[in-house]
Amino acid sequence: DLTVFVHLYGPGGELISQADGYPIAGMAPFWLWTAGQTIEDHRSLSLPSVPNLDTHSVGIGLYHSATGERLPVVDRDGHRLADDVVLLPLGG
């Protein structure tokens, strides 16, 4: 049973905000998906009152609900990413 996580990290990598759960507010858990199916999932994060979000990043990934263990994330070359998370910088 998998859960999506979307985390907001501060400049030092600290977790500031998160939005974890099944896709589409629980309406589309992965066990209901069929092979090749695509689902668009929207998440909202609480943003801190800081002068500059350019130093922050958003992390996205999946984990097993029962254990908290993250699914492996690899780059295009097959190298495993740190902490099994795709990091998207907010800065330009």
Side-chain angles (χ1 to χ4, degrees), residues 3 6 8 18 22 24-25 27 40 44 47-48 50 56 61-63 68 73 79:
T3 299
V6 178
L8 175 66
Q18 66 187 72
Y22 291 131
I24 311 177
M27 301 295 292
E40 186 173 325
S44 296
L47 295 178
V50 294
H56 293 62
L62 300 172
Y63 64 88
V73 176
H79 300 108

Side-chain angles (χ1 to χ4, degrees), residues 4 7 13-14 17 20 24 34 36 41-44 46 50 57 60 62-63 68-69 77 79-80 85 87-89:
V4 175
H7 292 169
E14 67 278 12
S17 182
D20 295 14
I24 311 177
T34 58
D41 186 33
H42 296 264
R43 302 278 164 159
S44 296
S46 298
V50 294
S57 59
I60 302 168
L62 300 172
Y63 64 88
E69 180 183 357
D77 297 322
H79 300 108
R80 194 160 177 183
V85 61
L87 282 176
L88 307 170

Side-chain angles (χ1 to χ4, degrees), residues 55-79:
T55 58
H56 293 62
S57 59
V58 173
I60 302 168
L62 300 172
Y63 64 88
H64 293 279
S65 300
T67 65
E69 180 183 357
R70 292 182 178 179
L71 268 62
V73 176
V74 296
D75 65 15
R76 290 181 181 169
D77 297 322
H79 300 108

